[in-house]
Amino acid sequence: ALPAILHWALYRKAASPSLSTFVLLGPSGAGKTAFLTLRSKAAPITHTSQASTSTTVTLPPSVPIFSNRYRSVNDSSLSDSKRNPVQYILKDTPGHGKLRSAQISQLQTDLSSKKEASPTRGIVFFVDAASLSEEAESLRDSASYLYDVLLVLQKVVLNKGKSSSKAGTTVPLLVASNKQDLFTALPPGSVRQKLESEIDRIRKTRQKGLMDASAGSELNEDEDEILGGDDGRESFSFQALEDDIGIKVEVIGGFTKAEDGDADGGAGVRKWEEWIGKRL
Ligand code: GDP
């Protein structure tokens, strides 16, 4: 006979053929694996960081989900523990610099395909808020990776807009400003500002590179720059990116470390899970 847990796992898989997927991106050391491990039933994985791994995780029943939004908060017919636990897939990706271009093109493929088995509902981009405050290199690294991810989202929106009459849609992105338990960590508002001004700087550098490269030749249309407060007048902002092309970016602080007296070890990730729950 099958061990009960295996039986359960197989049954669950058959019963829910298409779980939503959330992709974890961000530089190595930001805390992606720590977040994944917190909610996965499997033993902590020693991550070899070469390929992506998809893990089914459970959203704590106390976190509201979009599909339950019409249920009144006063409805006591279902207590937290009786509700069906909602599962979703977290796709952890290696954040090492050399492997990023592979993550970026995989993301573009996934988002462009219409029949994804487990549709991507969002991107959770991890940054280490403590190292952002201490190391200029960490900010440059995080921002340039984020820039590339936003560029993919932008391409998906603009391409979809072309192929159908409807405006393109894209997945939202959460910047998980991690390690807020450390007193050296930058608060989420500053993380947001720093990322915006660094992205602005990267954009200007790349613009200049493009103009130099295209001197005397046609401008290569593929080499788009990121939108959001463009025209060289405005500086880049996530708000402008949303206003211009509808890509929604939120920066929310948290930490994956469990604190004393925190039974499910989830106090620090609660707001991120709420963000995910809104999209389930
Ligand atoms: P990944 O490379 O993005 O998967 O990062 P990991 O999950 O492996 O985390 C890198 C290091 O940061 C590990 O030593 C973790 O223990 C530590 N870490 C992760 N999250 C937190 C956090 O919220 N607070 C603190 N203080 N350390 C963390």
Side-chain angles (χ1 to χ4, degrees), residues 26-35 47 49 92-93 95 126 128 178-182 254-257 272:
S28 347
K32 301 180 292 298
T33 312
F35 176 58
H47 204 61
S49 295
D92 193 13
T93 63
F126 268 77
D128 175 343
N178 192 26
K179 309 200 188 180
Q180 298 289 339
D181 57 309
L182 301 175
F255 53 90
T256 63
K257 283 259 157 89
W272 302 335

Side-chain angles (χ1 to χ4, degrees), residues 141-216:
D141 187 48
S142 301
S144 66
Y145 194 3
L146 181 57
Y147 183 101
D148 290 338
V149 173
L150 291 175
L151 200 54
V152 166
L153 297 185
Q154 174 175 305
K155 277 185 189 161
V156 171
V157 174
L158 300 179
N159 278 337
K160 276 191 186 163
K162 266 182 226 163
S163 58
S164 75
S165 54
K166 272 203 285 176
T169 52
T170 187
V171 296
L173 186 144
L174 166 66
V175 176
S177 178
N178 192 26
K179 309 200 188 180
Q180 298 289 339
D181 57 309
L182 301 175
F183 75 96
T184 49
L186 281 181
S190 314
V191 167
R192 182 188 175 101
Q193 274 176 2
K194 289 216 172 213
L195 287 174
E196 285 178 331
S197 58
E198 186 63 21
I199 286 176
D200 193 54
R201 209 188 52 76
I202 295 170
R203 188 171 66 169
K204 291 203 173 93
T205 313
R206 296 200 189 180
Q207 255 168 4
K208 185 172 180 305
L210 289 182
M211 285 194 305
D212 292 351
S214 66

Side-chain angles (χ1 to χ4, degrees):
L2 285 173
I5 182 74
L6 191 60
H7 189 270
W8 176 84
L10 287 172
Y11 172 74
R12 285 294 312 178
K13 200 158 187 228
S16 43
S18 94
L19 297 177
S20 301
T21 301
F22 290 81
V23 184
L24 297 177
L25 293 169
S28 347
K32 301 180 292 298
T33 312
F35 176 58
L36 179 95
T37 314
L38 197 63
R39 290 294 182 233
S40 96
K41 289 217 172 64
I45 341 149
T46 16
H47 204 61
T48 46
S49 295
Q50 289 293 319
S52 323
T53 45
S54 288
T55 310
T56 304
V57 296
T58 307
L59 199 71
S62 58
V63 176
I65 58 167
F66 179 76
S67 14
N68 271 351
R69 69 199 176 283
Y70 297 120
R71 179 177 295 150
S72 152
V73 283
N74 300 318
D75 178 355
S76 54
S77 64
L78 285 176
S79 68
D80 282 354
S81 58
K82 294 224 183 71
R83 273 183 217 150
N84 271 338
V86 178
Q87 294 190 309
Y88 63 101
I89 295 171
L90 276 179
K91 186 171 170 189
D92 193 13
T93 63
H96 190 278
K98 290 196 176 120
L99 300 165
R100 276 181 206 166
S101 58
Q103 303 309 331
I104 295 287
S105 41
Q106 184 59 47
L107 182 67
Q108 186 156 7
T109 312
D110 288 350
L111 292 177
S112 310
S113 95
K114 292 218 166 60
K115 283 200 178 156
E116 245 189 307
S118 309
T120 304
R121 299 275 183 240
I123 293 170
V124 184
F125 188 94
F126 268 77
V127 297
D128 175 343
S131 81
L132 283 188
S133 74
E134 287 158 357
E135 303 157 29
E137 181 49 33
S138 168
L139 176 62
R140 272 198 293 276
D141 187 48
S142 301
S144 66
Y145 194 3
L146 181 57
Y147 183 101
D148 290 338
V149 173
L150 291 175
L151 200 54
V152 166
L153 297 185
Q154 174 175 305
K155 277 185 189 161
V156 171
V157 174
L158 300 179
N159 278 337
K160 276 191 186 163
K162 266 182 226 163
S163 58
S164 75
S165 54
K166 272 203 285 176
T169 52
T170 187
V171 296
L173 186 144
L174 166 66
V175 176
S177 178
N178 192 26
K179 309 200 188 180
Q180 298 289 339
D181 57 309
L182 301 175
F183 75 96
T184 49
L186 281 181
S190 314
V191 167
R192 182 188 175 101
Q193 274 176 2
K194 289 216 172 213
L195 287 174
E196 285 178 331
S197 58
E198 186 63 21
I199 286 176
D200 193 54
R201 209 188 52 76
I202 295 170
R203 188 171 66 169
K204 291 203 173 93
T205 313
R206 296 200 189 180
Q207 255 168 4
K208 185 172 180 305
L210 289 182
M211 285 194 305
D212 292 351
S214 66
S217 70
E218 297 276 305
L219 193 71
N220 184 352
E221 281 202 16
D222 257 8
E223 296 288 318
D224 299 324
E225 62 184 68
I226 204 162
L227 301 171
D230 55 348
D231 300 345
R233 286 182 281 111
E234 254 181 282
S235 51
F236 173 83
S237 75
F238 293 129
Q239 186 60 54
L241 189 67
E242 183 176 348
D243 296 345
D244 287 359
I245 39 179
I247 296 174
K248 197 168 166 60
V249 178
E250 279 178 79
V251 182
I252 301 176
F255 53 90
T256 63
K257 283 259 157 89
E259 291 190 312
D260 292 344
D262 173 13
D264 70 352
V269 301
R270 172 84 191 189
K271 287 185 182 153
W272 302 335
E273 290 185 325
E274 286 172 354
W275 185 92
I276 289 171
K278 278 187 209 158
R279 287 154 181 95
L280 287 174

